[in-house]
Amino acid sequence: MSNYSKKFFTTGEFATLCRTTKETLFHYDRIGILKPNHIGKNKYRYYRLEQFYDYDLINTLKAAGSSLAEIKTYLNNQNTDDFINLLKENKKRLSMERRKLEHMEHLLKNAISLTEKALATPYHTPKIIACEEEYFIATYLNCKRPLSPQEEIEALNNHFTYCEQNQIYNEYPLGAIISMDTLKNNNFYESYYCTKLEKPVKTERLYIKPKGTYLTMLHKGFYDTRNTAYQILFDYMKQHSLMICGNSYEQELISYLAVEETDDLVHQISIQIQ
């Protein structure tokens, strides 16, 4: 006689039928989400064939993203309206998870591209390039001097919180913008913290980097050695009769995530010139 014509199944038999484990069924029994039909005199748990459909429903909702607590609540008051609402919530969660995965995929792709660029490009060698318009989320620092460590933490937190609240995922490393006036005064403190975007978005913090000609260079070293990098760029401009006509944009290419020594950090500096 086939097992499926049996009236009752032991825990092991029912686990095989459901393609799960006895431990899972024991757990479901403990939390009251799927209890056996009865417990025999031999203390064995016994399930009916019809309970396979209960298990299948639990498994389907769990795979769709519902927690066991949500499933238990639904099973205690099972109806079509609650079923639709539960599926809608799961659909919303899955959409958010998909966006996170897409963000992570772009993040990894950009990290690979930027790191390979840093490894393939000579350091401290100025180069003139034509740049297309680029887009950033930029947080204005509103400070005419270098930030203190506490101010820097607060500004970074402000920037990251704004991006998170507006569902702007950081697919590029954090960057900085130094204003033209600051550069002309031989100062190199940041005017903005920024995050590069693939395309523009509607937000009051959208910052557009103008299309134009830029003097660019990769600098290797810790952040406090940027003065040396800018001096190389300024000397190059003087030798070639170039003038600053816009801001400087800094982007990290090799971060602390990839190197052990801070002297091995690499970032790109691009100054708009004419």
Side-chain angles (χ1 to χ4, degrees):
M1 182 174 65
S2 168
N3 277 345
Y4 301 114
S5 64
K6 290 178 62 174
K7 190 171 184 179
F8 297 109
F9 295 83
T10 65
T11 302
E13 292 170 335
F14 192 67
T16 299
L17 174 64
C18 296
R19 290 183 295 177
T20 188
T21 64
K22 292 169 61 175
E23 288 71 22
T24 297
L25 295 178
F26 291 153
H27 179 59
Y28 286 178
D29 182 13
R30 283 193 298 271
I31 65 176
I33 198 172
L34 179 62
K35 302 189 77 65
N37 178 265
H38 70 277
I39 297 178
K41 293 180 180 179
N42 56 4
K43 305 299 182 183
Y44 281 19
R45 296 170 170 84
Y46 289 95
Y47 295 83
R48 292 184 64 89
L49 177 61
E50 292 82 355
Q51 289 182 280
F52 169 81
Y53 302 106
D54 295 330
Y55 175 83
D56 191 52
L57 173 59
I58 294 167
N59 199 43
T60 299
L61 293 175
K62 185 180 176 185
S66 294
S67 67
L68 292 179
E70 290 172 327
I71 296 171
K72 182 178 180 180
T73 299
Y74 168 69
L75 292 176
N76 288 336
N77 185 30
Q78 196 169 344
N79 61 78
T80 52
D81 287 340
D82 285 349
F83 181 68
I84 291 172
N85 290 333
L86 188 59
L87 293 185
K88 285 182 177 179
E89 284 299 314
N90 287 339
K91 184 174 181 294
K92 187 186 300 183
R93 276 198 291 259
L94 288 172
S95 295
M96 292 177 63
E97 190 64 29
R98 183 174 63 251
R99 286 197 296 271
K100 288 180 181 178
L101 290 173
E102 289 172 350
H103 156 62
M104 183 55 64
E105 183 179 6
H106 287 136
L107 181 65
L108 295 175
K109 177 183 175 182
N110 291 331
I112 292 169
S113 175
L114 293 174
T115 304
E116 289 178 341
K117 176 182 178 180
L119 294 174
T121 306
Y123 303 137
H124 307 124
T125 304
K127 181 171 63 174
I128 298 174
I129 62 172
C131 291
E132 295 298 319
E133 190 173 83
E134 293 182 351
Y135 310 100
F136 297 85
I137 294 298
T139 299
Y140 182 53
L141 302 181
N142 194 25
C143 191
K144 304 302 181 183
R145 55 170 173 76
L147 298 178
S148 68
Q150 181 61 36
E151 289 171 332
E152 185 175 350
I153 291 172
E154 291 174 358
L156 288 170
N157 183 61
N158 179 301
H159 180 77
F160 290 133
T161 299
Y162 180 86
C163 290
E164 183 178 329
Q165 289 175 344
N166 289 272
Q167 296 185 342
I168 298 166
Y169 299 111
N170 302 328
E171 295 173 359
Y172 287 89
L174 180 73
I177 301 170
I178 300 176
S179 73
M180 178 175 63
D181 291 338
T182 301
L183 290 175
K184 287 184 174 180
N185 289 324
N186 283 317
N187 291 316
F188 309 108
Y189 53 82
E190 297 90 346
S191 304
Y192 298 85
Y193 286 139
C194 62
T195 296
K196 187 178 177 181
L197 302 170
E198 293 284 357
K199 56 185 178 181
V201 295
K202 291 184 178 180
T203 168
E204 69 275 10
R205 294 197 190 183
L206 177 65
Y207 185 101
I208 300 176
K209 175 185 173 183
K211 176 181 178 179
T213 304
Y214 288 80
L215 182 63
T216 184
M217 185 182 79
L218 298 195
H219 173 63
K220 184 177 182 180
F222 193 54
Y223 306 109
D224 59 4
T225 64
R226 288 184 306 169
N227 293 18
T228 303
Y230 278 101
Q231 192 57 57
I232 294 172
L233 291 167
F234 290 167
D235 289 344
Y236 184 92
M237 282 187 274
K238 185 176 181 180
Q239 292 168 10
H240 294 81
S241 301
L242 302 172
M243 294 180 59
I244 298 173
C245 67
N247 298 335
S248 174
Y249 301 83
E250 299 182 358
Q251 184 178 42
E252 201 167 53
L253 302 187
I254 296 182
S255 72
Y256 67 91
L257 297 174
V259 294
E260 184 176 358
E261 300 295 332
T262 56
D263 289 342
D264 292 328
L265 298 174
V266 177
H267 63 276
Q268 178 177 276
I269 301 172
S270 300
I271 307 175
Q272 190 175 15
I273 59 169
Q274 62 182 15

